[in-house]
Amino acid sequence: MTTTEATPDARELMYLLAVSEALAQLMRADESVFLAGEDVGAAGGVFGTFSGLFDEFGQRRVIDTPISEQAIVGLGVGAAVSGLRPVVDIMFMDFVLVAMDQIANQAAKLRYMFGGQAKVPLTITTSAGAGLSAAAQHSQSLEALLCHVPGLKVVYPATPYDMKGLLVSCVRDDNPTIVIMNKMLLGAVGPVPEELYETPLGEARIARSGSDITIVAVGRMVDEALTAAATLAGEGVECEVIDPRTLQPFDTETVVGSVRRTNHALVVHEAVRFGGIGAEIAAQIQEEAFDYLDAAVARIGAPFCPVPFSPALEQLYVPDAARIAEGVRGVLGMNPVVA
Amino acid sequence: MTTTEATPDARELMYLLAVSEALAQLMRADESVFLAGEDVGAAGGVFGTFSGLFDEFGQRRVIDTPISEQAIVGLGVGAAVSGLRPVVDIMFMDFVLVAMDQIANQAAKLRYMFGGQAKVPLTITTSAGAGLSAAAQHSQSLEALLCHVPGLKVVYPATPYDMKGLLVSCVRDDNPTIVIMNKMLLGAVGPVPEELYETPLGEARIARSGSDITIVAVGRMVDEALTAAATLAGEGVECEVIDPRTLQPFDTETVVGSVRRTNHALVVHEAVRFGGIGAEIAAQIQEEAFDYLDAAVARIGAPFCPVPFSPALEQLYVPDAARIAEGVRGVLGMNPVVA
Amino acid sequence: MTTFDGIDLHRRMVRIRVFEETAGRLSESARLPGFLHLYVGEEAVASGVCAALNDDDQITSTHRGHGHLVAKGGDFKRMMAELMGKATGYCHGKGGSMHINDLDLGMLGANGIVGAGVPIAVGAAFANKYEDNGRVAVAFFGDGSTNIGAFHEAANMAGALRLPVLFVCENNEYGEYTRRCDTMAITDIIERAPGYGMRGVIVDGMDVVAVHEAATGALEGVRSGNGPALLECKTYRYFDHMGVKGVGVSYRSDTELEEWKQRDPIRSFEARLAESGELSADAARAVWDEAQAEVDGAIEFAEQSPLPEPEALLVGVYNETGAPS
Amino acid sequence: MTTFDGIDLHRRMVRIRVFEETAGRLSESARLPGFLHLYVGEEAVASGVCAALNDDDQITSTHRGHGHLVAKGGDFKRMMAELMGKATGYCHGKGGSMHINDLDLGMLGANGIVGAGVPIAVGAAFANKYEDNGRVAVAFFGDGSTNIGAFHEAANMAGALRLPVLFVCENNEYGEYTRRCDTMAITDIIERAPGYGMRGVIVDGMDVVAVHEAATGALEGVRSGNGPALLECKTYRYFDHMGVKGVGVSYRSDTELEEWKQRDPIRSFEARLAESGELSADAARAVWDEAQAEVDGAIEFAEQSPLPEPEALLVGVYNETGAPS
Ligand SMILES: Cc1ncc(C[n+]2csc(CCOP(=O)(O)OP(=O)(O)O)c2C)c(N)n1
Ligand SMILES: Cc1ncc(C[n+]2csc(CCOP(=O)(O)OP(=O)(O)O)c2C)c(N)n1
Ligand SMILES: [Mg+2]
Ligand SMILES: [Mg+2]
């Protein structure tokens, strides 16, 4: 665990602008970094995450590709093995499924299969999560699939600070990395230093300290967990909120250390609960802190169904502060709050 | 849970022949069933699992396809929505990654996205697992990826009896199902009734009863767990071995019921441990049986690396009876056996 | 030469245009959730092709799918309700614009994944051949979608298995905000057809009669067992990739848009019908009015429809039925 | 006409043949673990193409990859050790036949996934263009592999970005046990080239000089910035898809095999070299003997090499280094 965090007086920046700022600075510093993907050029990416890069670096280094997710990742793999440091974008995380062979069978395994000869410094950026009524094929959170594949590193920044810092670390890492941006966080604003800095991979962040329960919250759920923690503080419950930041490799130590102090744990993510990364986290916690637990590790995630289109249903689909607070009360054996 | 099992006097049949027998009987009974895939025709499939089908049913119903996993699954989706009951084969489970979009974004979600209008009675067969020195791209166990996708059903037969029974249930099911065959089990022989029968989906099988610990073993690990259980019986430890048979939907009830009796649990699968289906099972067990557990739920799986080629390494990679027995001793707090 | 029913073609196009422009307006006033890919400008393609189909032929569609459903006979009420995420919509509010479908009409769904509908159409065509029911399947897709692997695999498989499927490419020269010429080194999409052993035909996608005739001709071959064919329709979207705007954008010029609008498929066809005396200006106006009235009714229906109940969330993930055992 | 070094071409082919036949024998006596896809019969392709490359040009390969590595200069010892799963192998025993590679020789790996090497070659070509280093990349792949999406996406991307890559199709008329004509509705693979805006050239893949000249010609265009090209080599595998046998099989006739063997790339080339006086029968024999001696030495090396230590299992999953920060 590290306490790496912005100083409060740092400049404020939007999550999505942290992306382009990180990339611009990395590209200025290192000629081997380039960006390729669909509509990443003059359009600046469909979410604006790449705006300004084409203007500054031109079409040699900012490449609009055909709609070909397999070849986009393959381009990255081949270029990475040949010494460049590619950043390739898969517009929506749902499309990762189109490119899974290149990601999981090629990028992830090349080095190992080659007996450690190859170096694959490839970064894949992608946008995950529900909340835009984009329905079942444009709203998924599929990090669990990627975290199960040895050879990949997976980060999920929850703040503008970590968006920049983790992206920098990923691009500089010599392994294939995946940077998951959350669509509902794109407009989030927070302190972001202007200089180039790294958020170390594999180090969780304690977003709030507390003594009664450990909430491990992934991506967009960090904010929801903090809101829940604030509510619960009013009820006399002090939650420790941990943002893993990197999901693979996972910072078990920080999480387990916390649970050993709080004796209670709740894991929350936006992805489907069954088989989500929360299952791994819960399994690890009970393995490493069994004797410290006063109750079972609880998990909150999306129900077992595709992401529905209608806002009326989508809203029920994504976990929120209220459900997290209810989950905490459940773990602690408190009476449920009737709204 | 069901006790569905072969009567001991039933005919003996190989796991791989159970596949072709089930398909032949299904195809005789139902004109809407057909088989498509690479080399499934006259060649009978690269593992012989489809032998005899082309001769009996001809090229209208047994179709050799181009090497096009996306289109193979898509063919199945389109045909299923149009009223047929396709069985399509993805030769190695590793190639599922090539077809993930059609499997997870199309087949799995169609019905839900269409508001429940569509029916997708598609069965995908595939071969998983290490043991043939087939290296990192022909040896994977990727069931966890599929189990995380709402809309799919996933079965993993561990015996010839269930190979036939589960395949029949899957083909008759009106949902997209995936039947995982284990390569090292292809030659396994066991009692298989000659008539057409179903192994119900979603029902685990208690492969061995015992009072001291519950071992949940997936696929090929069932045999290894039974071997370990026999060894441990000599040490005075009675293991209950549960074969989930269906991984999605998962029979939590049978597993949790067992753990409430044995107060100890170990989950074992061949897939990579981190993020494997064992994480979900372990998380569920501690959620549902926390107060009954005398020790943390333990997990055994492959280490966090791609499947190595060299038999010397592959052998260390796949969990076996010895490691399972060690795991049990660990959970029960026994002294480790030094070999 | 094939004959055509001008009144029918005109009506299909107008219904699409009116539905889409209305949907665009609703979305601009934030009355529709989610992403909206409108078909305005391309009406002649869906209309000309679908008019050449039998009711029980199937089509698969794209992210830009309303036009295909309207052309296949889709119900405005259920469409509009779906766009609003209401329980009375085609997908009971679960699919929205990108998954709109009507299996009873053989419309096997819009699709949020570029190219993914193409293999599904091939599967439907396979079923038709398997059952020898005389039906054909049509896959609609954009120019940009021909760059994705699923398109290639599906086209090749259809060729190899000689399946009764018509591939219809709506070549509007852009994929989102990227020009086609930057993503492929060919002039026409049909240059891909020979690679699958299929015939390719180019047609003016702004001329509904030409589309209809080309589709009818291609479908004849498809129906008679010659295997698949590729029909490339040169067309243009008036609006932006998503939503309405479409003018004053950086990736294409307003002049280009204006030039295409000069060849508006509906206006030019109305002129032709007026000239031939088949449809007077008044009668044409009545078609617009009728469509508008129907859309207005659909909006009312949709707005008065209930949202899905919370219990609906978990309904329809799995089918509880199975084959008789 | 390009010139060629007959001695060199001959030697490359013989080395492949000897390595592969030896590997086949070892596998038949169960001395090699895993799957083995042999290149025997197709030697002229890898040899002719690789002889037209510079040392620092890159290639990507397939499941049938030994021939490509040998042609690019691969070391028999490390190859044989890898096939035996030894610590001294190219992949330290972790990859085996299907992942054999030598990055120092620009051989970016055999590949167990059909078609998956093609986008990787395009990525290497991208890097070459990006760095303007004059290198080219070559993607080898089979006829059956052109049916998979990854091939299509990669070919199109190379065309669109005008990348310096040569696509070399080893058309041996089969994918595993399925005839090519059952999986595609075209006569020649090059019929796919125009769809990517590239030139396609067919060459007799049993004639190493023809392959070499065609490759040299195509590479000239590729190197000079004309974008990618597709070279289709008509060839044949003597052995089975996996392992050796190859005769008396149901999916093809022995007569067909015999006909191809009549045109054996090595024997016919030796006749030609003997005729021109470039290589006497004795000198040719010496090349075989030398190769055989080298392979025998490689077997000895491999057999005496240690298996990977248990600790190696978890080594090499991740790279611990990173860019300087
Ligand atoms: C696999 C995949 N990649 C990317 C996208 C994002 N996307 C949606 S529509 C579109 C452009 C499609 O272009 P085209 O096929 O020409 O259709 P048009 O929008 O022009 O009708 C893209 C890139 C997607 N939906 N699916
Ligand atoms: C994606 C994928 N599908 C299927 C296979 C199994 N497979 C291995 S080689 C092969 C045939 C390849 O045929 P071709 O490309 O013509 O090469 P050849 O073996 O004839 O050299 C197949 C189907 C695979 N390895 N990868
Ligand atoms: Mg387009
Ligand atoms: Mg071949």
Side-chain angles (χ1 to χ4, degrees):
Chain A
M1 189 267 314
T2 173
T3 49
T4 326
E5 208 161 346
T7 48
D9 58 340
R11 173 202 47 159
E12 301 264 314
L13 197 69
M14 261 205 292
Y15 188 90
L16 81 85
L17 292 176
V19 178
S20 48
E21 180 170 290
L23 288 174
Q25 292 177 346
L26 286 161
M27 290 175 76
R28 275 174 220 139
D30 184 349
E31 178 78 15
S32 69
V33 179
F34 71 93
L35 170 69
E38 295 159 19
D39 302 295
V40 301
V46 293
F47 298 109
T49 39
F50 307 116
S51 62
L53 298 174
F54 184 82
D55 284 347
E56 178 171 352
F57 300 101
Q59 65 179 7
R60 173 169 169 265
R61 297 184 69 189
V62 181
I63 298 102
D64 275 327
T65 65
I67 309 173
S68 307
E69 278 76 8
Q70 295 191 70
I72 290 168
V73 178
L75 180 88
V77 175
V81 177
S82 304
L84 299 185
R85 208 166 271 285
V87 179
V88 302
D89 183 60
I90 301 292
M91 198 186 283
F92 285 75
M93 193 172 206
D94 314 70
F95 312 160
V96 153
L97 297 172
V98 182
M100 267 306 263
D101 173 63
Q102 284 291 331
I103 296 172
N105 278 336
Q106 311 300 328
K109 296 181 171 46
L110 225 90
R111 178 173 172 76
Y112 187 82
M113 295 187 305
F114 288 6
Q117 283 185 68
K119 205 175 85 172
V120 188
L122 165 68
T123 300
I124 300 172
T125 55
T126 194
S127 303
L132 296 179
S133 299
Q137 294 172 338
H138 283 72
S139 307
Q140 290 172 88
S141 297
L142 299 171
E143 61 275 6
L145 275 55
L146 301 166
C147 292
H148 187 45
V149 180
L152 300 178
K153 294 188 182 179
V154 182
V155 305
Y156 201 153
T159 64
Y161 178 86
D162 283 332
M163 181 68 249
K164 181 169 175 183
L166 289 169
L167 179 52
V168 170
S169 294
C170 283
V171 172
R172 287 179 172 170
D173 196 274
D174 272 346
N175 298 284
T177 57
I178 295 161
V179 180
I180 307 173
M181 308 182 266
N182 184 286
K183 294 179 212 114
M184 301 307 284
L185 291 178
L186 292 170
V189 171
V192 176
E194 293 185 29
E195 71 274 12
L196 205 52
Y197 61 93
E198 296 186 10
T199 298
L201 301 184
E203 296 193 7
R205 172 180 74 101
I206 297 180
R208 177 185 175 119
S209 298
S211 51
D212 297 329
I213 186 170
T214 303
I215 305 178
V216 182
V218 176
R220 175 183 168 196
M221 290 300 111
V222 174
D223 284 348
E224 298 292 331
L226 290 171
T227 306
T231 306
L232 289 160
E235 299 170 26
V237 175
E238 285 306 326
C239 303
E240 180 139 309
V241 177
I242 299 187
D243 169 5
R245 305 199 288 198
T246 305
L247 298 176
Q248 186 60 269
F250 188 78
D251 183 355
T252 306
E253 204 182 312
T254 299
V255 169
V256 168
S258 170
V259 175
R260 287 186 179 169
R261 280 185 280 104
T262 63
N263 313 115
H264 298 90
L266 170 73
V267 187
V268 54
H269 52 60
E270 195 188 323
V272 165
R273 186 180 187 274
F274 190 105
I277 189 69
E280 175 64 32
I281 300 172
Q284 287 195 15
I285 291 174
Q286 61 92 37
E287 276 157 13
E288 306 286 326
F290 187 76
D291 292 335
Y292 298 82
L293 282 173
D294 289 343
V297 183
R299 290 181 293 154
I300 294 178
F304 203 63
C305 65
V307 185
F309 163 71
S310 181
L313 295 175
E314 191 184 31
Q315 186 182 307
L316 301 170
Y317 185 88
V318 185
D320 59 10
R323 277 178 59 198
I324 295 171
E326 255 335 274
V328 169
R329 291 184 197 107
V331 174
L332 297 177
M334 298 161 68
N335 287 333
V337 169
V338 183
Chain B
M1 190 263 316
T2 171
T3 50
T4 326
E5 205 160 347
T7 48
D9 58 339
R11 175 202 47 159
E12 301 264 313
L13 196 70
M14 262 204 292
Y15 188 91
L16 81 85
L17 292 175
V19 178
S20 47
E21 180 170 289
L23 288 174
Q25 292 178 344
L26 287 161
M27 289 174 76
R28 276 175 218 137
D30 185 348
E31 177 78 15
S32 68
V33 179
F34 71 93
L35 171 68
E38 293 158 20
D39 302 295
V40 301
V46 294
F47 298 109
T49 39
F50 307 118
S51 63
L53 298 174
F54 184 81
D55 285 347
E56 178 172 352
F57 300 101
Q59 66 178 6
R60 173 168 169 265
R61 298 184 67 190
V62 182
I63 298 102
D64 275 328
T65 63
I67 310 173
S68 307
E69 279 75 9
Q70 295 190 70
I72 290 169
V73 178
L75 180 87
V77 175
V81 177
S82 304
L84 299 184
R85 205 166 274 284
V87 179
V88 302
D89 184 60
I90 301 293
M91 199 185 282
F92 285 76
M93 193 172 206
D94 314 69
F95 313 160
V96 153
L97 296 172
V98 181
M100 269 305 265
D101 174 62
Q102 284 290 331
I103 296 173
N105 277 336
Q106 311 299 328
K109 296 182 173 46
L110 225 90
R111 178 173 171 75
Y112 188 82
M113 293 186 306
F114 288 5
Q117 282 186 70
K119 204 174 83 171
V120 189
L122 164 68
T123 300
I124 301 172
T125 55
T126 193
S127 303
L132 296 178
S133 299
Q137 293 172 340
H138 283 72
S139 308
Q140 291 171 89
S141 297
L142 299 172
E143 62 275 6
L145 274 55
L146 300 166
C147 292
H148 188 44
V149 180
L152 301 178
K153 294 187 180 179
V154 182
V155 305
Y156 200 153
T159 64
Y161 178 86
D162 282 331
M163 181 67 249
K164 181 168 174 183
L166 289 169
L167 179 51
V168 171
S169 294
C170 282
V171 173
R172 286 180 173 167
D173 197 275
D174 272 346
N175 298 284
T177 57
I178 294 159
V179 180
I180 306 172
M181 308 182 267
N182 185 286
K183 293 180 212 112
M184 301 307 285
L185 292 178
L186 291 171
V189 171
V192 177
E194 294 185 31
E195 72 273 12
L196 205 53
Y197 62 91
E198 296 185 9
T199 297
L201 301 183
E203 296 193 7
R205 172 178 74 101
I206 297 182
R208 176 184 176 121
S209 297
S211 51
D212 296 330
I213 185 170
T214 302
I215 306 178
V216 182
V218 175
R220 176 183 168 195
M221 290 300 111
V222 174
D223 285 348
E224 298 292 331
L226 289 171
T227 306
T231 306
L232 290 160
E235 299 170 26
V237 174
E238 287 304 325
C239 302
E240 179 140 306
V241 177
I242 299 186
D243 169 5
R245 304 198 289 197
T246 306
L247 298 176
Q248 186 61 267
F250 188 77
D251 184 356
T252 305
E253 204 182 311
T254 298
V255 170
V256 167
S258 170
V259 176
R260 286 187 179 170
R261 279 185 281 104
T262 64
N263 312 115
H264 298 90
L266 170 72
V267 188
V268 54
H269 53 60
E270 196 187 323
V272 164
R273 186 178 187 275
F274 190 105
I277 189 70
E280 175 64 32
I281 299 173
Q284 286 195 15
I285 291 174
Q286 60 92 37
E287 275 157 12
E288 306 286 326
F290 187 76
D291 292 336
Y292 298 82
L293 283 173
D294 289 344
V297 184
R299 292 181 293 154
I300 294 179
F304 203 64
C305 64
V307 185
F309 163 70
S310 181
L313 296 175
E314 191 183 30
Q315 187 181 305
L316 302 170
Y317 184 87
V318 185
D320 60 11
R323 278 179 58 198
I324 295 171
E326 257 333 278
V328 167
R329 292 184 197 105
V331 174
L332 297 177
M334 298 160 68
N335 288 333
V337 168
V338 184
Chain C
M1 272 302 95
T2 54
T3 55
F4 65 90
D5 178 348
I7 306 298
D8 174 65
L9 290 174
H10 174 255
R11 186 159 173 278
R12 287 186 207 245
M13 290 198 292
V14 171
R15 284 172 61 80
I16 297 174
R17 174 73 54 97
V18 169
F19 185 89
E20 292 294 72
E21 292 199 321
T22 310
R25 269 194 300 278
L26 289 173
S27 111
E28 285 197 308
S29 54
R31 282 157 78 193
L32 299 185
F35 300 174
L36 202 69
H37 305 95
L38 298 173
Y39 201 70
V40 176
E42 310 188 8
E43 294 88 350
V45 180
S47 302
V49 172
C50 289
L53 294 176
N54 298 327
D55 282 351
D56 56 3
D57 291 330
Q58 300 116 319
I59 65 172
T60 64
S61 169
T62 66
H63 55 288
R64 201 175 300 288
H66 313 162
H68 305 128
L69 180 50
V70 172
K72 198 76 170 71
D75 173 33
F76 280 8
K77 284 196 175 125
R78 293 170 73 193
M79 289 183 72
M80 198 53 88
E82 190 56 37
L83 297 194
M84 291 191 187
K86 297 300 183 78
T88 53
Y90 263 116
C91 315
H92 306 318
K94 284 177 186 150
S97 165
M98 269 193 288
H99 305 293
I100 207 151
N101 73 93
D102 187 333
L103 297 186
D104 293 333
L105 295 176
M107 198 300 201
L108 306 187
N111 208 309
I113 304 295
V114 156
V118 190
I120 297 175
V122 170
F126 176 88
N128 294 337
K129 185 174 177 182
Y130 188 88
E131 302 201 313
D132 196 16
N133 61 18
R135 293 181 199 156
V136 298
V138 172
F140 288 99
F141 51 86
D143 49 305
S145 310
T146 69
N147 292 333
I148 205 159
F151 161 79
H152 172 75
E153 294 190 4
N156 177 64
M157 190 174 283
L161 304 180
R162 286 179 85 85
L163 299 179
V165 55
L166 178 65
F167 297 98
V168 178
C169 181
E170 307 175 320
N171 180 356
N172 61 15
E173 294 293 334
Y174 293 86
E176 297 206 342
Y177 316 102
T178 299
R179 288 180 310 169
R180 184 173 71 80
C181 58
D182 291 337
T183 67
M184 53 178 79
I186 52 178
T187 311
D188 300 309
I189 302 292
I190 58 155
E191 293 173 61
R192 307 210 144 145
Y196 311 114
M198 61 170 100
R199 210 161 62 90
V201 179
I202 293 187
V203 69
D204 177 0
M206 306 306 269
D207 178 345
V208 70
V209 174
V211 171
H212 182 253
E213 284 179 352
T216 305
L219 283 166
E220 245 164 55
V222 170
R223 273 191 216 281
S224 60
N226 293 353
L230 172 63
L231 181 63
E232 174 180 1
C233 307
K234 306 278 195 189
T235 182
Y236 203 77
R237 65 168 155 72
Y238 290 1
F239 293 160
D240 238 331
H241 169 64
M242 265 181 23
V244 175
K245 204 167 162 246
V247 289
V249 294
S250 56
Y251 63 96
R252 70 181 199 193
S253 71
D254 290 354
T255 328
E256 182 180 291
L257 172 61
E258 267 320 308
E259 279 166 21
W260 281 93
K261 279 192 171 174
Q262 291 308 317
R263 304 176 40 227
D264 185 77
I266 306 183
R267 246 184 315 151
S268 61
F269 191 49
E270 285 183 347
R272 178 170 164 171
L273 290 175
E275 206 169 316
S276 70
E278 276 172 277
L279 192 74
S280 67
D282 280 357
R285 193 65 260 154
V287 174
W288 288 88
D289 292 345
E290 196 191 318
Q292 191 62 58
E294 199 178 328
V295 174
D296 292 344
I299 295 176
E300 205 180 312
F301 169 81
E303 288 194 325
Q304 285 169 5
S305 290
L307 287 166
E309 295 294 325
E311 302 77 57
L313 182 63
L314 284 166
V315 174
V317 183
Y318 291 96
N319 197 322
E320 299 310 327
T321 66
S325 52
Chain D
M1 273 302 97
T2 52
T3 57
F4 65 91
D5 178 346
I7 307 298
D8 174 66
L9 290 175
H10 174 256
R11 185 157 175 280
R12 287 186 206 245
M13 289 198 292
V14 170
R15 286 172 60 79
I16 297 174
R17 175 73 53 96
V18 168
F19 185 89
E20 291 294 71
E21 293 199 322
T22 309
R25 270 194 301 278
L26 290 174
S27 111
E28 284 196 309
S29 53
R31 283 158 76 193
L32 298 184
F35 301 173
L36 201 71
H37 304 95
L38 298 173
Y39 200 70
V40 175
E42 310 189 6
E43 295 87 349
V45 181
S47 302
V49 172
C50 289
L53 296 176
N54 297 327
D55 282 351
D56 57 2
D57 291 331
Q58 300 115 320
I59 65 172
T60 65
S61 171
T62 66
H63 54 289
R64 202 176 297 291
H66 314 162
H68 305 129
L69 180 49
V70 173
K72 198 77 170 68
D75 172 32
F76 280 6
K77 286 197 176 125
R78 293 170 74 192
M79 288 183 72
M80 198 53 88
E82 189 57 37
L83 298 193
M84 292 192 187
K86 297 302 184 76
T88 54
Y90 262 116
C91 316
H92 307 319
K94 285 177 186 150
S97 166
M98 271 193 288
H99 306 294
I100 208 150
N101 72 92
D102 186 335
L103 297 186
D104 293 334
L105 296 176
M107 197 299 201
L108 307 187
N111 208 308
I113 305 294
V114 156
V118 190
I120 297 174
V122 169
F126 176 88
N128 294 338
K129 183 172 178 183
Y130 188 86
E131 301 200 316
D132 197 16
N133 59 19
R135 293 181 198 156
V136 298
V138 172
F140 288 99
F141 50 87
D143 48 305
S145 310
T146 68
N147 292 333
I148 205 158
F151 161 78
H152 172 76
E153 294 189 5
N156 178 65
M157 192 175 284
L161 304 180
R162 286 180 86 85
L163 299 179
V165 55
L166 178 64
F167 297 99
V168 178
C169 182
E170 307 175 319
N171 179 359
N172 60 13
E173 294 294 334
Y174 293 87
E176 298 208 343
Y177 316 102
T178 299
R179 288 180 308 171
R180 183 173 72 80
C181 59
D182 291 338
T183 68
M184 54 178 76
I186 51 178
T187 310
D188 300 308
I189 302 292
I190 57 155
E191 294 173 61
R192 305 208 147 148
Y196 310 114
M198 61 171 100
R199 209 161 62 90
V201 179
I202 293 187
V203 70
D204 178 0
M206 306 306 270
D207 179 344
V208 71
V209 175
V211 171
H212 182 254
E213 283 180 352
T216 306
L219 284 166
E220 245 165 57
V222 170
R223 274 192 217 280
S224 59
N226 292 352
L230 173 63
L231 181 63
E232 175 180 1
C233 306
K234 306 278 194 188
T235 183
Y236 203 76
R237 67 168 152 74
Y238 291 0
F239 294 160
D240 238 332
H241 170 64
M242 265 183 19
V244 176
K245 205 168 163 242
V247 289
V249 295
S250 58
Y251 64 95
R252 70 182 198 190
S253 73
D254 289 353
T255 329
E256 182 180 292
L257 172 60
E258 269 319 309
E259 280 168 21
W260 281 93
K261 279 191 170 175
Q262 290 308 317
R263 304 177 41 226
D264 185 77
I266 306 183
R267 247 185 311 152
S268 62
F269 190 50
E270 286 184 346
R272 177 169 166 174
L273 290 176
E275 206 169 317
S276 70
E278 273 172 278
L279 191 75
S280 69
D282 281 356
R285 192 65 260 156
V287 174
W288 288 87
D289 292 346
E290 195 190 318
Q292 190 62 57
E294 197 178 330
V295 174
D296 292 344
I299 295 176
E300 205 181 311
F301 169 81
E303 288 193 326
Q304 284 169 5
S305 290
L307 288 167
E309 296 294 327
E311 303 75 59
L313 183 63
L314 284 167
V315 174
V317 183
Y318 290 95
N319 198 323
E320 300 310 328
T321 66
S325 53

